[in-house]
Amino acid sequence: GNSVTQMEGPVTLSEEAFLTINCTYTATGYPSLFWYVQYPGEGLQLLLKATKADDKGSNKGFEATYRKETTSFHLEKGSVQVSDSAVYFCALREIQGAQKLVFGQGTRLTINP
Amino acid sequence: AAGVIQSPRHLIKEKRETATLKCYPIPRHDTVYWYQQGPGQDPQFLISFYEKMQSDKGSIPDRFSAQQFSDYHSELNMSSLELGDSALYFCASSLSRRYEQYFGPGTRLTVT
């Protein structure tokens, strides 16, 4: 079946550091890929998406590129802020049926001032 | 912009009781998904509806049922609650199945 694997957390960085959260997937066909962010006590917010190979999704300084050859969708940000502290989920949307989301296990990110 | 509305936000029930969770999708969205997120876990798909018909089913216990109504809102009914049902339940909606899913704030269910 389809699956998503994220780098294990928690990840702790200092403000203005460079961030990478690795995400790889296994899927039938070429699914759309997403990053969702969950702030403490809140729901899931769509951060960015990519729908086909070599697409780059970007939002709020975060970027991720859909790499078909390595089946990866790593999340990056050049300079993190304390307000970026949250749990980040990589997800794929299945291409068959109801096209439900399959999530990775989540990576908890803490940014220290 | 209008978002997905879920009610109640918090719910405390005892074992063997029933619970009903409600979801109001973004206007004009015709597809609703339900996910369950246990403590420290990733969200797991439960069930989905497209144009008021069930379109897919995941790891949803037989004790749970759901439906989508004529106004597109959806309800998740949970009976014979167990301690293990304590979780955050998310509803997401999309404009047809081909587009991104937008999540509500979730209902935190605690079973004691």
Side-chain angles (χ1 to χ4, degrees):
Chain A
N2 300 323
S3 66
V4 176
T5 302
Q6 286 179 235
M7 67 183 284
E8 290 194 22
V11 174
T12 303
L13 296 172
S14 298
E15 204 165 20
E16 299 183 3
F18 184 85
L19 168 72
T20 299
I21 301 178
N22 291 336
C23 171
T24 57
Y25 67 91
T26 302
T28 303
Y30 301 107
S32 295
L33 302 174
F34 304 84
W35 277 99
Y36 282 85
V37 57
Q38 187 174 31
Y39 297 101
E42 297 186 13
L44 294 162
Q45 296 179 25
L46 177 62
L47 181 59
L48 54 82
K49 67 176 183 179
T51 58
K52 61 183 187 297
D54 299 325
D55 264 3
K56 177 185 281 188
S58 61
N59 186 27
K60 300 181 181 179
F62 291 90
E63 292 183 339
T65 301
Y66 191 142
R67 301 287 187 199
K68 184 178 67 173
E69 62 277 9
T70 54
T71 61
S72 64
F73 192 54
H74 305 321
L75 182 68
E76 296 182 336
K77 186 174 185 181
S79 176
V80 293
Q81 306 300 313
V82 172
S83 57
D84 293 328
S85 297
V87 179
Y88 292 80
F89 290 95
C90 184
L92 64 83
R93 186 175 67 209
E94 295 188 332
I95 61 174
Q96 299 110 337
Q99 302 187 19
K100 65 180 184 286
L101 291 171
V102 176
F103 289 88
Q105 66 269 45
T107 301
R108 181 175 299 279
L109 174 67
T110 301
I111 308 299
N112 294 320
Chain B
V4 177
I5 297 172
Q6 290 187 247
S7 68
R9 293 292 308 277
H10 301 274
L11 191 57
I12 300 175
K13 291 286 185 178
E14 294 187 356
K15 280 195 305 184
R16 293 180 288 279
E17 286 192 319
T18 61
T20 297
L21 279 54
K22 297 184 179 183
C23 169
Y24 298 86
I26 292 171
R28 292 185 292 114
H29 282 196
D30 54 14
T31 306
V32 167
Y33 302 81
W34 286 96
Y35 294 86
Q36 177 192 56
Q37 184 181 28
Q41 304 293 313
D42 56 291
Q44 295 290 317
F45 171 73
L46 291 177
I47 195 167
S48 63
F49 294 88
Y50 170 63
E51 279 292 345
K52 293 157 279 185
M53 300 284 289
Q54 180 181 309
S55 57
D56 201 359
K57 204 169 181 180
S59 49
I60 183 170
D62 292 340
R63 300 178 288 108
F64 294 7
S65 65
Q67 62 183 123
Q68 187 178 31
F69 294 85
S70 57
D71 63 351
Y72 293 99
H73 94 273
S74 177
E75 295 184 4
L76 177 65
N77 298 293
M78 310 160 71
S79 62
S80 303
L81 287 169
E82 301 173 357
L83 296 178
D85 296 328
S86 295
L88 198 51
Y89 290 84
F90 287 111
C91 170
S93 74
S94 68
L95 180 61
S96 100
R97 291 168 287 188
R98 295 184 292 112
Y99 296 92
E100 52 265 31
Q101 296 176 28
Y102 292 91
F103 283 75
T107 294
R108 183 170 297 282
L109 172 67
T110 303
V111 181
T112 62

